[in-house]
Amino acid sequence: MRTPIVAGNWKLNKTISEAVELVTALRDLVANVTDVEIVVAPTFTALPAVARALQGSNIRLSAQNIFWEDSGAFTGEISPVMLKDVGCDYVIIGHSERRQYFGETNESVNRKVKAALTHGLKPIICVGERLEDREAGKTESVVENHVINGIDGLSAEQLLSTVIAYEPVWAIGTGLTATPNEAQEVHAFIRSLLLRNYSADVTEQVRIQYGGSVKPDNAVELLTQADIDGALVGGASLEAESFAQIVKAGSG
Ligand code: PGA
């Protein structure tokens, strides 16, 4: 059985005090949830304060990006060592906004994934097609390209520490979501891709999240699909109550 994972991607939002306020409220709301892994991904500047606010809770910490070197002359970057040091368990890698605005490529994604795993951080690798890809019938080829290159060279053990987030780009922040069936189809396709290089046993254990306008009112039907193992949530994670409702949709 796969434990669902629901992660809040706060993107470029929240000052330190706002971030602490949010997780302090969230902690109480989800305190009784034991069957869903809960993750929040604040901005870098809020990580230390949020880490303190989450001590002793069932909520894990994630960063939104990482660099692959441990240290050195790389102005403006944050290393895996630093993310571990601040208390992160997870790191989001290859979000479509990073691919679109900051030149992230499959190659850089793969280097970051390997660096994260080497330091005991669990990568959440984002994959997904743009609207023009879907309309041109290229959803599977784009997703395949992101997945196969993103996980290139990972051992079975490393893959088991990796989460894949399927996020159709046209559904992010738009209020449009893939229908549960559309999402399930792509999730099953992703699992079939993993089978090319990993055993059925390993493949069955890998968690694949859905992301893109997940809200309290659509979360249950998405999260009850056979191959959807949780959600990566943007907008609805910025408010404790709505994020808690999505977490609970993954429970039971
Ligand atoms: P959204 O963002 O929930 O606001 O669509 C999801 C994401 O980008 O991870």
Side-chain angles (χ1 to χ4, degrees), residues 66 80 91 93 110-123 125 150-151 154-155 157-163:
I66 190 173
V91 56
I93 298 178
N110 184 248
R111 287 183 81 168
K112 291 177 176 190
V113 166
K114 287 176 174 158
L117 287 163
T118 300
H119 289 277
L121 288 159
K122 296 175 183 169
I125 308 177
I151 63 172
L154 299 196
S155 67
E157 197 190 337
Q158 288 176 317
L159 187 71
L160 289 173
S161 294
T162 301
V163 175

mmCIF file with all atom_site columns, all heavy atoms in Angstrom, residues 66 80 91 93 110-123 125 150-151 154-155 157-163:
data_model
loop_
_atom_site.group_PDB
_atom_site.id
_atom_site.type_symbol
_atom_site.label_atom_id
_atom_site.label_alt_id
_atom_site.label_comp_id
_atom_site.label_asym_id
_atom_site.label_entity_id
_atom_site.label_seq_id
_atom_site.pdbx_PDB_ins_code
_atom_site.Cartn_x
_atom_site.Cartn_y
_atom_site.Cartn_z
_atom_site.occupancy
_atom_site.B_iso_or_equiv
_atom_site.pdbx_formal_charge
_atom_site.auth_seq_id
_atom_site.auth_comp_id
_atom_site.auth_asym_id
_atom_site.auth_atom_id
_atom_site.pdbx_PDB_model_num
ATOM 1   N N   . ILE A 1 66  ? 16.647 23.460 -5.492  1.00 0.00 ? 66  ILE A N   1
ATOM 2   C CA  . ILE A 1 66  ? 17.917 23.033 -4.910  1.00 0.00 ? 66  ILE A CA  1
ATOM 3   C C   . ILE A 1 66  ? 18.985 23.239 -5.974  1.00 0.00 ? 66  ILE A C   1
ATOM 4   O O   . ILE A 1 66  ? 18.657 23.318 -7.174  1.00 0.00 ? 66  ILE A O   1
ATOM 5   C CB  . ILE A 1 66  ? 17.818 21.531 -4.524  1.00 0.00 ? 66  ILE A CB  1
ATOM 6   C CG1 . ILE A 1 66  ? 18.996 21.047 -3.702  1.00 0.00 ? 66  ILE A CG1 1
ATOM 7   C CG2 . ILE A 1 66  ? 17.648 20.658 -5.753  1.00 0.00 ? 66  ILE A CG2 1
ATOM 8   C CD1 . ILE A 1 66  ? 18.807 19.607 -3.177  1.00 0.00 ? 66  ILE A CD1 1
ATOM 9   N N   . PRO A 1 80  ? 22.150 21.026 -1.252  1.00 0.00 ? 80  PRO A N   1
ATOM 10  C CA  . PRO A 1 80  ? 21.490 19.941 -0.521  1.00 0.00 ? 80  PRO A CA  1
ATOM 11  C C   . PRO A 1 80  ? 21.916 19.907 0.944   1.00 0.00 ? 80  PRO A C   1
ATOM 12  O O   . PRO A 1 80  ? 21.091 19.635 1.826   1.00 0.00 ? 80  PRO A O   1
ATOM 13  C CB  . PRO A 1 80  ? 21.974 18.672 -1.241  1.00 0.00 ? 80  PRO A CB  1
ATOM 14  C CG  . PRO A 1 80  ? 22.553 19.098 -2.530  1.00 0.00 ? 80  PRO A CG  1
ATOM 15  C CD  . PRO A 1 80  ? 22.901 20.540 -2.430  1.00 0.00 ? 80  PRO A CD  1
ATOM 16  N N   . VAL A 1 91  ? 12.340 17.949 -1.413  1.00 0.00 ? 91  VAL A N   1
ATOM 17  C CA  . VAL A 1 91  ? 12.583 19.130 -2.248  1.00 0.00 ? 91  VAL A CA  1
ATOM 18  C C   . VAL A 1 91  ? 11.839 18.953 -3.579  1.00 0.00 ? 91  VAL A C   1
ATOM 19  O O   . VAL A 1 91  ? 11.873 17.877 -4.179  1.00 0.00 ? 91  VAL A O   1
ATOM 20  C CB  . VAL A 1 91  ? 14.101 19.377 -2.458  1.00 0.00 ? 91  VAL A CB  1
ATOM 21  C CG1 . VAL A 1 91  ? 14.818 18.168 -3.064  1.00 0.00 ? 91  VAL A CG1 1
ATOM 22  C CG2 . VAL A 1 91  ? 14.321 20.605 -3.332  1.00 0.00 ? 91  VAL A CG2 1
ATOM 23  N N   . ILE A 1 93  ? 11.474 19.505 -7.383  1.00 0.00 ? 93  ILE A N   1
ATOM 24  C CA  . ILE A 1 93  ? 12.460 19.707 -8.455  1.00 0.00 ? 93  ILE A CA  1
ATOM 25  C C   . ILE A 1 93  ? 11.751 19.695 -9.808  1.00 0.00 ? 93  ILE A C   1
ATOM 26  O O   . ILE A 1 93  ? 10.913 18.834 -10.078 1.00 0.00 ? 93  ILE A O   1
ATOM 27  C CB  . ILE A 1 93  ? 13.555 18.608 -8.407  1.00 0.00 ? 93  ILE A CB  1
ATOM 28  C CG1 . ILE A 1 93  ? 14.320 18.690 -7.070  1.00 0.00 ? 93  ILE A CG1 1
ATOM 29  C CG2 . ILE A 1 93  ? 14.522 18.763 -9.584  1.00 0.00 ? 93  ILE A CG2 1
ATOM 30  C CD1 . ILE A 1 93  ? 15.388 17.624 -6.874  1.00 0.00 ? 93  ILE A CD1 1
ATOM 31  N N   . ASN A 1 110 ? 17.668 16.203 -13.474 1.00 0.00 ? 110 ASN A N   1
ATOM 32  C CA  . ASN A 1 110 ? 18.289 14.924 -13.114 1.00 0.00 ? 110 ASN A CA  1
ATOM 33  C C   . ASN A 1 110 ? 19.500 15.115 -12.191 1.00 0.00 ? 110 ASN A C   1
ATOM 34  O O   . ASN A 1 110 ? 19.677 14.372 -11.222 1.00 0.00 ? 110 ASN A O   1
ATOM 35  C CB  . ASN A 1 110 ? 18.674 14.162 -14.390 1.00 0.00 ? 110 ASN A CB  1
ATOM 36  C CG  . ASN A 1 110 ? 19.238 12.786 -14.093 1.00 0.00 ? 110 ASN A CG  1
ATOM 37  O OD1 . ASN A 1 110 ? 20.412 12.523 -14.303 1.00 0.00 ? 110 ASN A OD1 1
ATOM 38  N ND2 . ASN A 1 110 ? 18.410 11.890 -13.577 1.00 0.00 ? 110 ASN A ND2 1
ATOM 39  N N   . ARG A 1 111 ? 20.296 16.146 -12.464 1.00 0.00 ? 111 ARG A N   1
ATOM 40  C CA  . ARG A 1 111 ? 21.450 16.408 -11.579 1.00 0.00 ? 111 ARG A CA  1
ATOM 41  C C   . ARG A 1 111 ? 20.976 16.772 -10.177 1.00 0.00 ? 111 ARG A C   1
ATOM 42  O O   . ARG A 1 111 ? 21.546 16.353 -9.167  1.00 0.00 ? 111 ARG A O   1
ATOM 43  C CB  . ARG A 1 111 ? 22.298 17.559 -12.128 1.00 0.00 ? 111 ARG A CB  1
ATOM 44  C CG  . ARG A 1 111 ? 23.083 17.166 -13.350 1.00 0.00 ? 111 ARG A CG  1
ATOM 45  C CD  . ARG A 1 111 ? 23.965 18.289 -13.819 1.00 0.00 ? 111 ARG A CD  1
ATOM 46  N NE  . ARG A 1 111 ? 25.210 18.351 -13.044 1.00 0.00 ? 111 ARG A NE  1
ATOM 47  C CZ  . ARG A 1 111 ? 26.252 19.096 -13.392 1.00 0.00 ? 111 ARG A CZ  1
ATOM 48  N NH1 . ARG A 1 111 ? 26.203 19.838 -14.481 1.00 0.00 ? 111 ARG A NH1 1
ATOM 49  N NH2 . ARG A 1 111 ? 27.347 19.098 -12.656 1.00 0.00 ? 111 ARG A NH2 1
ATOM 50  N N   . LYS A 1 112 ? 19.931 17.579 -10.111 1.00 0.00 ? 112 LYS A N   1
ATOM 51  C CA  . LYS A 1 112 ? 19.397 17.996 -8.809  1.00 0.00 ? 112 LYS A CA  1
ATOM 52  C C   . LYS A 1 112 ? 18.796 16.797 -8.058  1.00 0.00 ? 112 LYS A C   1
ATOM 53  O O   . LYS A 1 112 ? 18.949 16.666 -6.841  1.00 0.00 ? 112 LYS A O   1
ATOM 54  C CB  . LYS A 1 112 ? 18.344 19.094 -9.002  1.00 0.00 ? 112 LYS A CB  1
ATOM 55  C CG  . LYS A 1 112 ? 18.943 20.413 -9.472  1.00 0.00 ? 112 LYS A CG  1
ATOM 56  C CD  . LYS A 1 112 ? 17.876 21.474 -9.736  1.00 0.00 ? 112 LYS A CD  1
ATOM 57  C CE  . LYS A 1 112 ? 18.536 22.811 -10.112 1.00 0.00 ? 112 LYS A CE  1
ATOM 58  N NZ  . LYS A 1 112 ? 17.569 23.928 -10.136 1.00 0.00 ? 112 LYS A NZ  1
ATOM 59  N N   . VAL A 1 113 ? 18.091 15.957 -8.796  1.00 0.00 ? 113 VAL A N   1
ATOM 60  C CA  . VAL A 1 113 ? 17.473 14.778 -8.176  1.00 0.00 ? 113 VAL A CA  1
ATOM 61  C C   . VAL A 1 113 ? 18.559 13.904 -7.547  1.00 0.00 ? 113 VAL A C   1
ATOM 62  O O   . VAL A 1 113 ? 18.440 13.466 -6.388  1.00 0.00 ? 113 VAL A O   1
ATOM 63  C CB  . VAL A 1 113 ? 16.664 13.979 -9.237  1.00 0.00 ? 113 VAL A CB  1
ATOM 64  C CG1 . VAL A 1 113 ? 16.298 12.589 -8.729  1.00 0.00 ? 113 VAL A CG1 1
ATOM 65  C CG2 . VAL A 1 113 ? 15.416 14.756 -9.651  1.00 0.00 ? 113 VAL A CG2 1
ATOM 66  N N   . LYS A 1 114 ? 19.629 13.680 -8.292  1.00 0.00 ? 114 LYS A N   1
ATOM 67  C CA  . LYS A 1 114 ? 20.707 12.818 -7.771  1.00 0.00 ? 114 LYS A CA  1
ATOM 68  C C   . LYS A 1 114 ? 21.396 13.453 -6.572  1.00 0.00 ? 114 LYS A C   1
ATOM 69  O O   . LYS A 1 114 ? 21.719 12.781 -5.592  1.00 0.00 ? 114 LYS A O   1
ATOM 70  C CB  . LYS A 1 114 ? 21.716 12.523 -8.876  1.00 0.00 ? 114 LYS A CB  1
ATOM 71  C CG  . LYS A 1 114 ? 21.168 11.544 -9.901  1.00 0.00 ? 114 LYS A CG  1
ATOM 72  C CD  . LYS A 1 114 ? 22.151 11.340 -11.023 1.00 0.00 ? 114 LYS A CD  1
ATOM 73  C CE  . LYS A 1 114 ? 21.673 10.250 -11.968 1.00 0.00 ? 114 LYS A CE  1
ATOM 74  N NZ  . LYS A 1 114 ? 22.287 10.386 -13.287 1.00 0.00 ? 114 LYS A NZ  1
ATOM 75  N N   . ALA A 1 115 ? 21.604 14.776 -6.643  1.00 0.00 ? 115 ALA A N   1
ATOM 76  C CA  . ALA A 1 115 ? 22.254 15.467 -5.517  1.00 0.00 ? 115 ALA A CA  1
ATOM 77  C C   . ALA A 1 115 ? 21.370 15.385 -4.277  1.00 0.00 ? 115 ALA A C   1
ATOM 78  O O   . ALA A 1 115 ? 21.849 15.151 -3.159  1.00 0.00 ? 115 ALA A O   1
ATOM 79  C CB  . ALA A 1 115 ? 22.528 16.922 -5.885  1.00 0.00 ? 115 ALA A CB  1
ATOM 80  N N   . ALA A 1 116 ? 20.076 15.593 -4.462  1.00 0.00 ? 116 ALA A N   1
ATOM 81  C CA  . ALA A 1 116 ? 19.142 15.528 -3.330  1.00 0.00 ? 116 ALA A CA  1
ATOM 82  C C   . ALA A 1 116 ? 19.218 14.151 -2.685  1.00 0.00 ? 116 ALA A C   1
ATOM 83  O O   . ALA A 1 116 ? 19.392 14.024 -1.463  1.00 0.00 ? 116 ALA A O   1
ATOM 84  C CB  . ALA A 1 116 ? 17.717 15.822 -3.817  1.00 0.00 ? 116 ALA A CB  1
ATOM 85  N N   . LEU A 1 117 ? 19.107 13.110 -3.498  1.00 0.00 ? 117 LEU A N   1
ATOM 86  C CA  . LEU A 1 117 ? 19.096 11.742 -2.973  1.00 0.00 ? 117 LEU A CA  1
ATOM 87  C C   . LEU A 1 117 ? 20.402 11.396 -2.266  1.00 0.00 ? 117 LEU A C   1
ATOM 88  O O   . LEU A 1 117 ? 20.399 10.727 -1.224  1.00 0.00 ? 117 LEU A O   1
ATOM 89  C CB  . LEU A 1 117 ? 18.822 10.755 -4.113  1.00 0.00 ? 117 LEU A CB  1
ATOM 90  C CG  . LEU A 1 117 ? 17.376 10.755 -4.611  1.00 0.00 ? 117 LEU A CG  1
ATOM 91  C CD1 . LEU A 1 117 ? 17.270 10.084 -5.978  1.00 0.00 ? 117 LEU A CD1 1
ATOM 92  C CD2 . LEU A 1 117 ? 16.455 10.061 -3.601  1.00 0.00 ? 117 LEU A CD2 1
ATOM 93  N N   . THR A 1 118 ? 21.497 11.870 -2.805  1.00 0.00 ? 118 THR A N   1
ATOM 94  C CA  . THR A 1 118 ? 22.803 11.606 -2.197  1.00 0.00 ? 118 THR A CA  1
ATOM 95  C C   . THR A 1 118 ? 22.850 12.138 -0.767  1.00 0.00 ? 118 THR A C   1
ATOM 96  O O   . THR A 1 118 ? 23.519 11.590 0.098   1.00 0.00 ? 118 THR A O   1
ATOM 97  C CB  . THR A 1 118 ? 23.920 12.280 -3.041  1.00 0.00 ? 118 THR A CB  1
ATOM 98  O OG1 . THR A 1 118 ? 23.867 11.719 -4.339  1.00 0.00 ? 118 THR A OG1 1
ATOM 99  C CG2 . THR A 1 118 ? 25.292 12.068 -2.448  1.00 0.00 ? 118 THR A CG2 1
ATOM 100 N N   . HIS A 1 119 ? 22.113 13.229 -0.533  1.00 0.00 ? 119 HIS A N   1
ATOM 101 C CA  . HIS A 1 119 ? 22.130 13.843 0.799   1.00 0.00 ? 119 HIS A CA  1
ATOM 102 C C   . HIS A 1 119 ? 20.916 13.469 1.644   1.00 0.00 ? 119 HIS A C   1
ATOM 103 O O   . HIS A 1 119 ? 20.632 14.108 2.648   1.00 0.00 ? 119 HIS A O   1
ATOM 104 C CB  . HIS A 1 119 ? 22.251 15.352 0.660   1.00 0.00 ? 119 HIS A CB  1
ATOM 105 C CG  . HIS A 1 119 ? 23.614 15.760 0.184   1.00 0.00 ? 119 HIS A CG  1
ATOM 106 N ND1 . HIS A 1 119 ? 24.679 15.896 1.035   1.00 0.00 ? 119 HIS A ND1 1
ATOM 107 C CD2 . HIS A 1 119 ? 24.084 15.988 -1.057  1.00 0.00 ? 119 HIS A CD2 1
ATOM 108 C CE1 . HIS A 1 119 ? 25.753 16.221 0.336   1.00 0.00 ? 119 HIS A CE1 1
ATOM 109 N NE2 . HIS A 1 119 ? 25.426 16.278 -0.937  1.00 0.00 ? 119 HIS A NE2 1
ATOM 110 N N   . GLY A 1 120 ? 20.177 12.469 1.204   1.00 0.00 ? 120 GLY A N   1
ATOM 111 C CA  . GLY A 1 120 ? 19.055 11.999 2.019   1.00 0.00 ? 120 GLY A CA  1
ATOM 112 C C   . GLY A 1 120 ? 17.815 12.868 1.915   1.00 0.00 ? 120 GLY A C   1
ATOM 113 O O   . GLY A 1 120 ? 16.930 12.796 2.782   1.00 0.00 ? 120 GLY A O   1
ATOM 114 N N   . LEU A 1 121 ? 17.741 13.702 0.881   1.00 0.00 ? 121 LEU A N   1
ATOM 115 C CA  . LEU A 1 121 ? 16.509 14.476 0.633   1.00 0.00 ? 121 LEU A CA  1
ATOM 116 C C   . LEU A 1 121 ? 15.672 13.724 -0.387  1.00 0.00 ? 121 LEU A C   1
ATOM 117 O O   . LEU A 1 121 ? 16.212 13.152 -1.343  1.00 0.00 ? 121 LEU A O   1
ATOM 118 C CB  . LEU A 1 121 ? 16.850 15.846 0.049   1.00 0.00 ? 121 LEU A CB  1
ATOM 119 C CG  . LEU A 1 121 ? 17.485 16.856 0.993   1.00 0.00 ? 121 LEU A CG  1
ATOM 120 C CD1 . LEU A 1 121 ? 18.226 17.930 0.191   1.00 0.00 ? 121 LEU A CD1 1
ATOM 121 C CD2 . LEU A 1 121 ? 16.413 17.501 1.866   1.00 0.00 ? 121 LEU A CD2 1
ATOM 122 N N   . LYS A 1 122 ? 14.358 13.756 -0.204  1.00 0.00 ? 122 LYS A N   1
ATOM 123 C CA  . LYS A 1 122 ? 13.482 13.049 -1.143  1.00 0.00 ? 122 LYS A CA  1
ATOM 124 C C   . LYS A 1 122 ? 12.989 14.020 -2.213  1.00 0.00 ? 122 LYS A C   1
ATOM 125 O O   . LYS A 1 122 ? 12.320 15.010 -1.880  1.00 0.00 ? 122 LYS A O   1
ATOM 126 C CB  . LYS A 1 122 ? 12.289 12.460 -0.401  1.00 0.00 ? 122 LYS A CB  1
ATOM 127 C CG  . LYS A 1 122 ? 12.702 11.414 0.610   1.00 0.00 ? 122 LYS A CG  1
ATOM 128 C CD  . LYS A 1 122 ? 11.516 10.944 1.410   1.00 0.00 ? 122 LYS A CD  1
ATOM 129 C CE  . LYS A 1 122 ? 11.983 9.944  2.457   1.00 0.00 ? 122 LYS A CE  1
ATOM 130 N NZ  . LYS A 1 122 ? 10.981 9.625  3.430   1.00 0.00 ? 122 LYS A NZ  1
ATOM 131 N N   . PRO A 1 123 ? 13.287 13.758 -3.470  1.00 0.00 ? 123 PRO A N   1
ATOM 132 C CA  . PRO A 1 123 ? 12.834 14.671 -4.514  1.00 0.00 ? 123 PRO A CA  1
ATOM 133 C C   . PRO A 1 123 ? 11.365 14.455 -4.884  1.00 0.00 ? 123 PRO A C   1
ATOM 134 O O   . PRO A 1 123 ? 10.884 13.321 -4.911  1.00 0.00 ? 123 PRO A O   1
ATOM 135 C CB  . PRO A 1 123 ? 13.732 14.333 -5.708  1.00 0.00 ? 123 PRO A CB  1
ATOM 136 C CG  . PRO A 1 123 ? 14.364 13.028 -5.419  1.00 0.00 ? 123 PRO A CG  1
ATOM 137 C CD  . PRO A 1 123 ? 14.170 12.696 -3.970  1.00 0.00 ? 123 PRO A CD  1
ATOM 138 N N   . ILE A 1 125 ? 9.583  15.177 -8.139  1.00 0.00 ? 125 ILE A N   1
ATOM 139 C CA  . ILE A 1 125 ? 9.908  15.587 -9.509  1.00 0.00 ? 125 ILE A CA  1
ATOM 140 C C   . ILE A 1 125 ? 8.622  15.933 -10.251 1.00 0.00 ? 125 ILE A C   1
ATOM 141 O O   . ILE A 1 125 ? 7.727  15.093 -10.382 1.00 0.00 ? 125 ILE A O   1
ATOM 142 C CB  . ILE A 1 125 ? 10.617 14.456 -10.284 1.00 0.00 ? 125 ILE A CB  1
ATOM 143 C CG1 . ILE A 1 125 ? 11.813 13.917 -9.503  1.00 0.00 ? 125 ILE A CG1 1
ATOM 144 C CG2 . ILE A 1 125 ? 11.046 14.943 -11.666 1.00 0.00 ? 125 ILE A CG2 1
ATOM 145 C CD1 . ILE A 1 125 ? 12.508 12.738 -10.202 1.00 0.00 ? 125 ILE A CD1 1
ATOM 146 N N   . GLY A 1 150 ? 14.237 12.543 -16.051 1.00 0.00 ? 150 GLY A N   1
ATOM 147 C CA  . GLY A 1 150 ? 14.311 13.016 -14.663 1.00 0.00 ? 150 GLY A CA  1
ATOM 148 C C   . GLY A 1 150 ? 14.858 11.956 -13.720 1.00 0.00 ? 150 GLY A C   1
ATOM 149 O O   . GLY A 1 150 ? 15.599 12.261 -12.787 1.00 0.00 ? 150 GLY A O   1
ATOM 150 N N   . ILE A 1 151 ? 14.492 10.699 -13.964 1.00 0.00 ? 151 ILE A N   1
ATOM 151 C CA  . ILE A 1 151 ? 14.921 9.624  -13.051 1.00 0.00 ? 151 ILE A CA  1
ATOM 152 C C   . ILE A 1 151 ? 16.100 8.825  -13.599 1.00 0.00 ? 151 ILE A C   1
ATOM 153 O O   . ILE A 1 151 ? 16.485 7.808  -13.019 1.00 0.00 ? 151 ILE A O   1
ATOM 154 C CB  . ILE A 1 151 ? 13.755 8.646  -12.733 1.00 0.00 ? 151 ILE A CB  1
ATOM 155 C CG1 . ILE A 1 151 ? 13.290 7.930  -13.992 1.00 0.00 ? 151 ILE A CG1 1
ATOM 156 C CG2 . ILE A 1 151 ? 12.609 9.379  -12.048 1.00 0.00 ? 151 ILE A CG2 1
ATOM 157 C CD1 . ILE A 1 151 ? 12.281 6.810  -13.714 1.00 0.00 ? 151 ILE A CD1 1
ATOM 158 N N   . LEU A 1 154 ? 18.790 6.359  -11.627 1.00 0.00 ? 154 LEU A N   1
ATOM 159 C CA  . LEU A 1 154 ? 18.463 6.097  -10.216 1.00 0.00 ? 154 LEU A CA  1
ATOM 160 C C   . LEU A 1 154 ? 18.396 4.593  -9.943  1.00 0.00 ? 154 LEU A C   1
ATOM 161 O O   . LEU A 1 154 ? 17.846 3.836  -10.748 1.00 0.00 ? 154 LEU A O   1
ATOM 162 C CB  . LEU A 1 154 ? 17.111 6.708  -9.818  1.00 0.00 ? 154 LEU A CB  1
ATOM 163 C CG  . LEU A 1 154 ? 16.925 8.225  -9.925  1.00 0.00 ? 154 LEU A CG  1
ATOM 164 C CD1 . LEU A 1 154 ? 15.703 8.653  -9.126  1.00 0.00 ? 154 LEU A CD1 1
ATOM 165 C CD2 . LEU A 1 154 ? 18.149 8.985  -9.468  1.00 0.00 ? 154 LEU A CD2 1
ATOM 166 N N   . SER A 1 155 ? 18.927 4.196  -8.799  1.00 0.00 ? 155 SER A N   1
ATOM 167 C CA  . SER A 1 155 ? 18.777 2.803  -8.377  1.00 0.00 ? 155 SER A CA  1
ATOM 168 C C   . SER A 1 155 ? 17.325 2.591  -7.933  1.00 0.00 ? 155 SER A C   1
ATOM 169 O O   . SER A 1 155 ? 16.591 3.565  -7.689  1.00 0.00 ? 155 SER A O   1
ATOM 170 C CB  . SER A 1 155 ? 19.711 2.511  -7.204  1.00 0.00 ? 155 SER A CB  1
ATOM 171 O OG  . SER A 1 155 ? 19.282 3.257  -6.071  1.00 0.00 ? 155 SER A OG  1
ATOM 172 N N   . GLU A 1 157 ? 16.363 1.598  -5.119  1.00 0.00 ? 157 GLU A N   1
ATOM 173 C CA  . GLU A 1 157 ? 16.237 2.163  -3.778  1.00 0.00 ? 157 GLU A CA  1
ATOM 174 C C   . GLU A 1 157 ? 16.030 3.680  -3.841  1.00 0.00 ? 157 GLU A C   1
ATOM 175 O O   . GLU A 1 157 ? 15.221 4.250  -3.108  1.00 0.00 ? 157 GLU A O   1
ATOM 176 C CB  . GLU A 1 157 ? 17.514 1.829  -2.995  1.00 0.00 ? 157 GLU A CB  1
ATOM 177 C CG  . GLU A 1 157 ? 17.364 1.996  -1.508  1.00 0.00 ? 157 GLU A CG  1
ATOM 178 C CD  . GLU A 1 157 ? 18.734 1.887  -0.822  1.00 0.00 ? 157 GLU A CD  1
ATOM 179 O OE1 . GLU A 1 157 ? 19.652 1.276  -1.409  1.00 0.00 ? 157 GLU A OE1 1
ATOM 180 O OE2 . GLU A 1 157 ? 18.864 2.424  0.265   1.00 0.00 ? 157 GLU A OE2 1
ATOM 181 N N   . GLN A 1 158 ? 16.762 4.327  -4.728  1.00 0.00 ? 158 GLN A N   1
ATOM 182 C CA  . GLN A 1 158 ? 16.597 5.785  -4.879  1.00 0.00 ? 158 GLN A CA  1
ATOM 183 C C   . GLN A 1 158 ? 15.217 6.131  -5.438  1.00 0.00 ? 158 GLN A C   1
ATOM 184 O O   . GLN A 1 158 ? 14.596 7.100  -5.017  1.00 0.00 ? 158 GLN A O   1
ATOM 185 C CB  . GLN A 1 158 ? 17.690 6.345  -5.802  1.00 0.00 ? 158 GLN A CB  1
ATOM 186 C CG  . GLN A 1 158 ? 19.064 6.366  -5.155  1.00 0.00 ? 158 GLN A CG  1
ATOM 187 C CD  . GLN A 1 158 ? 20.138 6.832  -6.117  1.00 0.00 ? 158 GLN A CD  1
ATOM 188 O OE1 . GLN A 1 158 ? 20.174 6.433  -7.279  1.00 0.00 ? 158 GLN A OE1 1
ATOM 189 N NE2 . GLN A 1 158 ? 21.028 7.678  -5.632  1.00 0.00 ? 158 GLN A NE2 1
ATOM 190 N N   . LEU A 1 159 ? 14.747 5.313  -6.370  1.00 0.00 ? 159 LEU A N   1
ATOM 191 C CA  . LEU A 1 159 ? 13.415 5.583  -6.933  1.00 0.00 ? 159 LEU A CA  1
ATOM 192 C C   . LEU A 1 159 ? 12.342 5.493  -5.844  1.00 0.00 ? 159 LEU A C   1
ATOM 193 O O   . LEU A 1 159 ? 11.377 6.254  -5.844  1.00 0.00 ? 159 LEU A O   1
ATOM 194 C CB  . LEU A 1 159 ? 13.096 4.600  -8.066  1.00 0.00 ? 159 LEU A CB  1
ATOM 195 C CG  . LEU A 1 159 ? 11.804 4.926  -8.810  1.00 0.00 ? 159 LEU A CG  1
ATOM 196 C CD1 . LEU A 1 159 ? 11.957 6.187  -9.659  1.00 0.00 ? 159 LEU A CD1 1
ATOM 197 C CD2 . LEU A 1 159 ? 11.345 3.764  -9.679  1.00 0.00 ? 159 LEU A CD2 1
ATOM 198 N N   . LEU A 1 160 ? 12.547 4.592  -4.909  1.00 0.00 ? 160 LEU A N   1
ATOM 199 C CA  . LEU A 1 160 ? 11.559 4.434  -3.841  1.00 0.00 ? 160 LEU A CA  1
ATOM 200 C C   . LEU A 1 160 ? 11.506 5.650  -2.906  1.00 0.00 ? 160 LEU A C   1
ATOM 201 O O   . LEU A 1 160 ? 10.512 5.858  -2.222  1.00 0.00 ? 160 LEU A O   1
ATOM 202 C CB  . LEU A 1 160 ? 11.847 3.161  -3.027  1.00 0.00 ? 160 LEU A CB  1
ATOM 203 C CG  . LEU A 1 160 ? 11.555 1.860  -3.774  1.00 0.00 ? 160 LEU A CG  1
ATOM 204 C CD1 . LEU A 1 160 ? 12.022 0.659  -2.967  1.00 0.00 ? 160 LEU A CD1 1
ATOM 205 C CD2 . LEU A 1 160 ? 10.072 1.740  -4.098  1.00 0.00 ? 160 LEU A CD2 1
ATOM 206 N N   . SER A 1 161 ? 12.571 6.436  -2.908  1.00 0.00 ? 161 SER A N   1
ATOM 207 C CA  . SER A 1 161 ? 12.572 7.670  -2.104  1.00 0.00 ? 161 SER A CA  1
ATOM 208 C C   . SER A 1 161 ? 12.103 8.876  -2.923  1.00 0.00 ? 161 SER A C   1
ATOM 209 O O   . SER A 1 161 ? 12.159 10.008 -2.451  1.00 0.00 ? 161 SER A O   1
ATOM 210 C CB  . SER A 1 161 ? 13.983 7.962  -1.595  1.00 0.00 ? 161 SER A CB  1
ATOM 211 O OG  . SER A 1 161 ? 14.383 6.966  -0.700  1.00 0.00 ? 161 SER A OG  1
ATOM 212 N N   . THR A 1 162 ? 11.710 8.628  -4.149  1.00 0.00 ? 162 THR A N   1
ATOM 213 C CA  . THR A 1 162 ? 11.351 9.709  -5.068  1.00 0.00 ? 162 THR A CA  1
ATOM 214 C C   . THR A 1 162 ? 9.844  9.754  -5.263  1.00 0.00 ? 162 THR A C   1
ATOM 215 O O   . THR A 1 162 ? 9.197  8.714  -5.337  1.00 0.00 ? 162 THR A O   1
ATOM 216 C CB  . THR A 1 162 ? 12.059 9.459  -6.435  1.00 0.00 ? 162 THR A CB  1
ATOM 217 O OG1 . THR A 1 162 ? 13.464 9.429  -6.209  1.00 0.00 ? 162 THR A OG1 1
ATOM 218 C CG2 . THR A 1 162 ? 11.722 10.525 -7.450  1.00 0.00 ? 162 THR A CG2 1
ATOM 219 N N   . VAL A 1 163 ? 9.308  10.960 -5.329  1.00 0.00 ? 163 VAL A N   1
ATOM 220 C CA  . VAL A 1 163 ? 7.886  11.144 -5.622  1.00 0.00 ? 163 VAL A CA  1
ATOM 221 C C   . VAL A 1 163 ? 7.801  11.800 -7.000  1.00 0.00 ? 163 VAL A C   1
ATOM 222 O O   . VAL A 1 163 ? 8.604  12.690 -7.312  1.00 0.00 ? 163 VAL A O   1
ATOM 223 C CB  . VAL A 1 163 ? 7.228  12.053 -4.569  1.00 0.00 ? 163 VAL A CB  1
ATOM 224 C CG1 . VAL A 1 163 ? 5.771  12.356 -4.912  1.00 0.00 ? 163 VAL A CG1 1
ATOM 225 C CG2 . VAL A 1 163 ? 7.336  11.427 -3.181  1.00 0.00 ? 163 VAL A CG2 1
#
